[in-house]
Amino acid sequence: MSEAFIFDAIRIPRGKGKPGAGALYETKPIDLVVTLLDALRARHDLDPSRVDDLIMGVSSAVGDQGSCLPRIAALCADGWSEVPGMALQRFCGAGLEAVNQAAEKVRSGWHDLIAAGGVESMSRLGLGASGGAWIYDPATSLKIAYVPQGFSADMVAALHGFDRQAVDAYALRSQQLAAAARREGRFARSLVPVRDANGLTVLDHDEYIREETTAASLAALKPAFGGPAAAANALVARQRYPALDRIEPVHTAGNSSGIVDGAALLLVGSERGGASAGLKPRARIVGTGLATIDATLMLTGPVPATERALARAGLTLDQIDLFEVNEAFAAVPMFFAKALGVPLDKINVNGGSIAMGHPIGATGAIILGTLLDELERRRLRYGVATLCTAGGMGVATVIERL
């Protein structure tokens, strides 16, 4: 069986996902992907005809992101027209799942080089743009005891004793770490600026980070998932968790992930594929994991997914040097740390989606690249990237820096 190596990991800066307000709002998602394809070709003098496939997570495959966006992007990018493309949906885990599927194809021996990642233009499409019975059909929602993700985050907090002060403290940490990482240029290796048709820079830095954030400014924010709807959600939740007699709303816009635009690509391949393209491997993908948990609670999937990925890699938790746990809500990485006994100083050491935003289909690929960059910067060996997803799933990837 072939090994699966990572030869490069790049991304665009994340732009605020507000219509008309974010820097990337006027940039089509297909152009974000073309930007990355052109960058991969230029960075490595890569012959794209050597690439067997282009796999990308796209959470809302409608409108500007509809059809098979990766294939159309390959047709638009210089030199990529011979490369097939596939759009993949696993909610928030789609970008990481795209990389994992690329690794599995390479390990099968049937593919030698694959570009994999994700894209999401949330300013142009918004949350829930792709619809689906899970949210919009009352009969289905009732059958599976669906509640909104933000309410699930408040459930996790209630079940594990995370009060408002604790989740705000975690959010402040994320903002401070991300601001420091940006000032110190820790993201520079992976960032590819977005430019317009005239070559003028549209965005060259992560736009969402709020360096001015303080404990007081976070405390002043109102809960985002309380109000009249919370009472109805609580009735649904108690079908599964009857002991939850009170669910305090603690998550706000300040301690939840930001809505942003983003895209990322990794180049994954075999030793043979890399050598034929003149590429030097930066890391090895040593294990992947998928897991399901209760779909009402929904957000604790990174724990069993990580355990499965580590088991497949033949590694233990104490061998892992760094973790990237997507900050969908503050309670998610806090629960991960508590459940597995992982110290916070190993988790999201450059901040996360609370500070920089969560472009749903792309985030998994983004955090895997961030993890690799930081393993290299610190000269550490093993890392885990993991995300919770809607519908009660978790996805994880274990890499070894080379």
Side-chain angles (χ1 to χ4, degrees), residues 25-26 59 99 132 139 215 219 225 230 232 238 245 275 281 322 374 399:
Y25 171 65
E26 294 185 358
S59 182
V99 177
F225 308 103
R238 288 192 193 108
D245 57 347
L322 294 175
E374 192 63 16
I399 62 171

Side-chain angles (χ1 to χ4, degrees), residues 100-315:
N100 288 354
Q101 289 200 13
E104 291 157 9
K105 284 172 172 279
V106 168
R107 285 175 63 88
S108 75
W110 290 0
H111 296 79
D112 284 317
L113 200 59
I114 297 175
V119 62
E120 205 75 39
S121 180
M122 300 184 77
S123 65
R124 297 172 76 94
L125 290 162
L127 284 168
S130 59
W134 175 64
I135 299 175
Y136 296 110
D137 173 37
T140 301
S141 297
L142 184 63
K143 183 175 182 178
I144 63 176
Y146 163 80
V147 297
Q149 278 193 318
F151 189 82
S152 293
D154 286 338
M155 288 176 63
V156 174
L159 286 166
H160 298 283
F162 306 143
D163 61 16
R164 173 67 184 271
Q165 186 175 5
V167 293
D168 278 354
Y170 182 90
L172 181 60
R173 170 188 183 266
S174 182
Q175 290 285 356
Q176 291 172 338
L177 290 174
R182 184 172 64 180
R183 286 195 302 270
E184 295 171 14
R186 296 187 187 182
F187 304 132
R189 177 171 185 175
S190 298
L191 277 182
V192 176
V194 177
R195 294 188 170 90
D196 64 16
N198 298 312
L200 300 176
T201 299
V202 175
L203 187 65
D204 63 2
H205 64 280
D206 289 311
E207 187 179 27
Y208 193 79
I209 298 172
R210 300 180 296 277
E211 293 199 38
E212 71 280 3
T213 301
T214 64
S217 67
L218 288 170
L221 296 172
K222 294 182 179 180
F225 308 103
N233 291 328
L235 289 174
V236 175
R238 288 192 193 108
Q239 296 177 41
R240 302 281 178 88
Y241 297 90
L244 270 179
D245 57 347
R246 179 170 175 77
I247 302 170
E248 188 71 29
V250 297
H251 285 88
T252 70
N255 56 42
S256 305
S257 57
I259 296 173
V260 296
D261 302 333
L265 277 178
L266 285 83
L267 201 54
V268 179
S270 64
E271 182 177 11
R272 178 180 61 189
S276 68
L279 300 168
K280 181 180 178 181
R282 294 173 59 188
R284 182 170 66 100
I285 297 175
V286 296
T288 67
L290 283 171
T292 58
I293 49 98
D294 171 58
T296 302
L297 193 60
M298 196 183 312
L299 303 175
T300 59
V303 169
T306 294
E307 290 173 330
R308 290 186 180 186
L310 288 173
R312 292 196 175 104
L315 296 171

